[in-house]
Amino acid sequence: MTGGEVLGSNQLDETHDPSRRSWIASANVSGADFPIQNLPLGVFRQGGRLGEPRIGVAVGDFILDLRGIAARIEEEIEGASQFLAAPSLIPLMNQEPRVWSAVRKLIFRFLEAGSPSRHVCEPHLVPMRAAEMLMPVRPGGFIDFFASIQHATNAGRLFRPASPLLPNYKYVPIGYNGRTSTIRCSGAEIFRPNGQRKPAGQDQPDFGPSSQLDFEMELGIFLSGHTQIGQPVPIAGAWSHIFGFCLLNDWSARDIQAWEYQPLGPFLGKTFATSISPWIITADALRPFRVPAFARAAGDPTPLPYLFNAADQDAGSVDVKIEVWFRSESMSADSRPSRRIGAASTRELYWTPAQLIAHQTSNGCNIEAGDLYGSGTVSGETEHSLGSFLEITFAGKKPVAICDGVTRTFLEDGDEVTLKGRCRRSGFVSIGFGNCSGVIVPGPSM
Amino acid sequence: MTGGEVLGSNQLDETHDPSRRSWIASANVSGADFPIQNLPLGVFRQGGRLGEPRIGVAVGDFILDLRGIAARIEEEIEGASQFLAAPSLIPLMNQEPRVWSAVRKLIFRFLEAGSPSRHVCEPHLVPMRAAEMLMPVRPGGFIDFFASIQHATNAGRLFRPASPLLPNYKYVPIGYNGRTSTIRCSGAEIFRPNGQRKPAGQDQPDFGPSSQLDFEMELGIFLSGHTQIGQPVPIAGAWSHIFGFCLLNDWSARDIQAWEYQPLGPFLGKTFATSISPWIITADALRPFRVPAFARAAGDPTPLPYLFNAADQDAGSVDVKIEVWFRSESMSADSRPSRRIGAASTRELYWTPAQLIAHQTSNGCNIEAGDLYGSGTVSGETEHSLGSFLEITFAGKKPVAICDGVTRTFLEDGDEVTLKGRCRRSGFVSIGFGNCSGVIVPGPSM
């Protein structure tokens, strides 16, 4: 697949046709996260710890167990009985993008209203409430970027009011390596980390529970297709390495981070936990929601040639509206609903996914199937489009009122943070990402 | 195993007895890297790409193929036929430290002069020259620390002459997450990375091959023993998580690093390559070479309680003398030998391995078998004890004469860098680490 083909947003097919419906009623409900135009991939199990991990596709309120129908898919797609029966998505990710598309189209055909293959699938539908979602893959590498210029500006302003953006920002897709062992699926409890902090006015640091625990609302990108060390991925071919997308909450302890991060960057302020939504929204499903790259301001530099591609500028960004919802323990106890505290679109990111890939591999670093990127906190320009408490509360200086009797500067024990994501475009069925949730629990006693 | 037991350096046994010899003559040569007092573990293969990876122990000029004798070891150590027949060290690492010690003692007994088990081993000895060493494990996580105060001072002085050490240095074991996919075994070629650089006096950055390619002389530490997320490892128990040590060259592109590293730390200036020596020198083998923690200067703060343990202060550091040897392409062509360009001991590191573990897990981050730490560049106080060209040449300002007609500021294509490591102590047989080598080759054309 060449870059041009991949980058074009005109490659829509029957799986994007808004008139198509499923024989599964819950998939046809207006506003459902998982209509048949979505068909995200994940790994689930039933029966608790002893249940075996299986690959599934989300459709309405059900999971279609792909292992159960792998032999049927093998009749049309060679190798499917192997790569769809695996306990992880890695073997599928290691196929060519045309294989991912072929699997998608076949499942679409099976699930479409009137499909003669309905009887093949029905025995392999698992109600979502009866399944536990697992990590879709264990990423070999996790890189967190800093792609929202608005977030970079907001965060920088707290430290350098006169010149919030550093000189490299508009040239370099800034990123750093994260910790993979603590990436957890939505629903996992988040332990409040202990760490060293040195509050202003204190001579010496001390050690204790973070008092500035924060969330970061991000888009996750799962990569695929091994490359060789020493062989950069040109930007024109980068989309063929994107398997799909998820939501990602890069939990952050701002007090630990502030004291530790010079000169080598964030470490323990981040490594205690990262949460992701369990369903990978495929690059194919996102095709209708591709949009032009962020419009750089007059006077901004043109990206260097290795980061510039006309097709990427035309349709290389994605328009995912991400929202962050908050509920405190007391709100839960009173059965009060979560409150939305921020919303922004990934179309406002300064760098496209292809630019991130071209940059990350530009030094010869390889890609492995399952590698995960975080976009960095997605923030927009208004006070309601901020993706972290750091920004919403000006680093804790200005508490925010969530609802009656509940204000916050940072997260307290029992607080639940939920990210939701959705793509909408006139003339298409909107698709959702499912939830990425976590509840803060106290860390171990010291 | 409790921390006190583990930390004591008095737990020497017959495997440390300097009077013992092997029936393998090359293991008894004075100054050999691999006498029977060492017995490091690695993974090797024969027969090229199709050869299967096998666990081996280095002894003299040979590798003892542990898979070959796993059934015999099983007679005395339950489970050995499983964990020693694996293609990776992870299953062995997942055993308790007492199992590691039992395997070591049994192999020592087999290889000792006069052993009745000689005939068991002889068919499973592979000459080192006939084997290819592979990565001993694929680390799930790689963290590079900054534990040499001398290196931190030298590097800081280049940017902040008046106050080279940042205020957090003496409190926080500074570290950052590295990239695992580009960690390679000694011998792998190192591609010169391309990247963005912005030389002083230039208005805009450009993109091209790094012109400030450097090495970093480090100690590697392989961890073991899974822990749970949210459960920090107390410093007293940290040594039970140390499987062993290697040499590590954290190749660095200083020009790329300088332009990209604010505000989130090193990224593409590091991720193109890391080299390690293939043999893991076990924590048991290093026992005689444990030394007191670095003596802090008067006025330096006492480590915070979670980083302080009396036994660790007494014997928590290790004394590994690491040397860096250099040979240019022209020196190789003329059959001129490598020249030593630096040497320093890990006893000069400001933080002990146990402090690094206690710190890394203090926020609740877990450990997984195979996790790798780099110590950070090991530098001493003299001009001959510097572990990077950055320090040796004052960031390229003062070229160093290597030998007749060869001077360097940074690495050129064809240059070979080799790290060597050795432990010596009066009354004990010295042990070596083997080599960690890499040759610089041009990167892909742009």
Side-chain angles (χ1 to χ4, degrees), chain A residues 138 140 168 171-172 177 179-181 184 196 204-205 207 230 259 262 268 271 306 359 363 366 368 371 444, chain B residues 138 140 168 171-172 177 179-181 196 204-205 207 229-230 259 262 268 271 306 359 363 366 368 371 444:
Chain A
R138 163 68 190 262
N168 57 8
Y171 295 94
V172 181
N177 295 297
R179 175 84 182 174
T180 59
S181 75
R184 308 288 296 281
Q196 284 193 38
Q204 312 245 327
F207 181 86
W259 172 233
Q262 289 285 14
L268 301 192
T271 60
Y306 78 102
H359 184 64
N363 68 346
N366 59 336
E368 295 177 318
D371 280 352
Chain B
R138 162 68 190 262
N168 57 8
Y171 295 94
V172 181
N177 294 297
R179 174 85 182 173
T180 59
S181 76
Q196 284 194 37
Q204 311 246 330
F207 182 85
I229 292 175
W259 172 234
Q262 290 285 15
L268 301 192
T271 59
Y306 78 103
H359 184 64
N363 68 346
N366 59 334
E368 296 178 317
D371 279 352

Side-chain angles (χ1 to χ4, degrees), chain B residues 213-385:
Chain B
L213 187 51
D214 201 356
F215 63 89
E216 292 196 338
M217 177 175 89
E218 303 196 13
L219 183 70
I221 307 174
F222 276 104
L223 305 191
S224 197
H226 279 74
T227 61
Q228 296 299 309
I229 292 175
Q231 295 298 327
V233 175
I235 187 168
W239 267 86
S240 67
H241 288 281
I242 299 180
F243 186 78
F245 298 84
C246 66
L247 305 174
L248 186 150
N249 186 341
D250 180 37
W251 305 96
S252 299
R254 303 299 180 190
D255 42 0
I256 297 172
Q257 186 183 347
W259 172 234
E260 76 174 355
Y261 90 107
Q262 290 285 15
L264 300 181
F267 182 39
L268 301 192
K270 301 281 193 175
T271 59
F272 58 96
T274 305
S275 296
I276 62 168
S277 57
W279 292 107
I280 302 182
I281 313 301
T282 65
D284 276 338
L286 268 187
R287 246 172 232 277
F289 310 102
R290 300 269 292 272
V291 293
F294 182 78
R296 294 185 161 217
D300 277 6
T302 303
L304 290 178
Y306 78 103
L307 297 174
F308 187 86
N309 171 276
D312 187 53
Q313 291 294 308
D314 284 352
S317 188
V318 292
D319 183 12
V320 183
K321 188 177 178 191
I322 312 183
E323 300 178 338
V324 54
W325 294 71
F326 175 93
R327 189 160 66 165
S328 69
E329 199 164 21
S330 68
M331 291 164 71
S332 301
D334 298 346
S335 299
R336 286 191 281 175
S338 294
R339 297 292 286 260
R340 189 175 72 186
I341 58 173
S345 168
T346 58
R347 68 185 302 159
E348 300 187 59
L349 295 173
Y350 198 77
W351 301 104
T352 66
Q355 286 175 319
L356 301 183
I357 293 171
H359 184 64
Q360 189 246 303
T361 62
S362 65
N363 68 346
C365 184
N366 59 334
I367 286 175
E368 296 178 317
D371 279 352
L372 177 63
Y373 288 172
S375 62
T377 307
V378 182
S379 289
E381 294 195 346
T382 73
E383 64 176 318
H384 300 294
S385 63

Side-chain angles (χ1 to χ4, degrees), chain A residues 14-47:
Chain A
E14 69 274 17
T15 69
H16 305 108
D17 180 345
S19 70
R20 308 295 181 99
R21 315 270 289 175
S22 175
W23 47 262
I24 297 174
S26 57
N28 303 325
V29 173
S30 172
D33 276 350
F34 307 122
I36 56 167
Q37 287 80 4
N38 194 348
L39 303 181
L41 291 152
V43 174
F44 71 100
R45 71 179 170 196
Q46 294 178 271

